[in-house]
Amino acid sequence: NAGVTQTPKFRILKIGQSMTLQCTQDMNHNYMYWYRQDPGMGLKLIYYSVGAGITDKGEVPNGYNVSRSTTEDFPLRLELAAPSQTSVYFCASSYEGNNEQFFGPGTRLTVL
Amino acid sequence: DAKTTQPNSMESNEEEPVHLPCNHSTISGTDYIHWYRQLPSQGPEYVIHGLTSNVNNRMASLAIAEDRKSSTLILHRATLRDAAVYYCIRIRGNTPLVFGKGTRLSVIA
C-alpha cells in the first residue's frame, strides 16, 4: 500500500492564480481530511469528508473548495490564491472518525 | 479549541524514559484521548490512543488518570529519533481531530 499520497510536493503561485492539490489514499478509508500548518503552529482543519459525495467545512475553509467523487480521491482547490494561503498542506485519511489517521507527506505552497 | 493543555517544550536525555503530560479537565465519558507526533518536515503520525485503561503498544504507553482529567504519554527509552512535537487530542465521537500546539520534545545525546 502506498498509503496517502499528495501531489505536488512544492508549488509557488502568484497572487490570484488557482491550483488543485491532489490527495489519494489506497486504504479504502471512508474519512478524508485536509489540514494546513503555518510555521510553528499546529494543524488546522480546512475541510473533511465522511464518504464519497459528502464534504463538510472545518475551522478554516474560506478560500478553498473540495470535492469527493470517489473513495480514493479528495482534491483541494484554491481559487484566487492569496499570500495568507502560504502554508504546508496535509491530507489525511481514516477508516472511521475516531480511528487512527494516516497523513500524507504534505505540499509546501508559497503564494507571492 | 483543542480542549487539552500541554507544556510547550520538554527535554530528555537519550536512553532515559520520558513522561509527556496532558490535561483534559473537561473530558466527557465517551471521549477518547489520542496522541500523535510530528517529526521535523513530516506529517503527523499516530502514536497511541485510549479511553479509560492504560494502553501499551510498540511505540509508547499511555497512562490515563482515574478521573480521566489528565493523561501521560510514556516513551520508555528516548532516542534521538523521538525528537518531535507531540500532540494530545481529545476526540468526541466521530468529530475530526483538533490539533493544539503540542509539546516539542528535545532529546539530548
Side-chain angles (χ1 to χ4, degrees), chain B residues 79-95:
Chain B
T79 70
L80 296 178
R81 291 180 68 250
D82 291 322
V85 178
Y86 287 78
Y87 297 98
C88 168
I89 302 169
R90 191 194 83 184
I91 296 181
R92 177 165 295 170
N94 281 324
T95 57

Side-chain angles (χ1 to χ4, degrees), chain A residues 31 33 35 37 40-45 48 59 90 96-106 108, chain B residues 1 32 34 36 38 41-46 49 87 91-101 104:
Chain A
Y31 284 64
Y33 313 83
Y35 296 89
Q37 185 173 34
M41 306 296 288
L43 282 74
K44 291 191 183 299
L45 182 67
Y48 68 103
E59 299 173 78
F90 291 103
E96 293 291 347
N98 58 2
N99 293 159
E100 173 185 356
Q101 282 193 15
F102 294 82
F103 285 79
R108 186 175 296 275
Chain B
D1 180 7
Y32 279 80
H34 283 230
Y36 283 75
Q38 187 173 21
S41 301
Q42 294 188 27
E45 65 174 343
Y46 167 84
H49 78 280
Y87 297 98
I91 296 181
R92 177 165 295 170
N94 281 324
T95 57
L97 300 179
V98 177
F99 285 81
K101 293 187 178 180
R104 182 173 298 277

Side-chain angles (χ1 to χ4, degrees), chain A residues 24-39:
Chain A
T24 299
Q25 54 91 8
D26 62 358
M27 297 172 281
N28 201 33
H29 284 168
N30 296 313
Y31 284 64
M32 295 188 74
Y33 313 83
W34 274 106
Y35 296 89
R36 60 174 286 173
Q37 185 173 34
D38 298 333

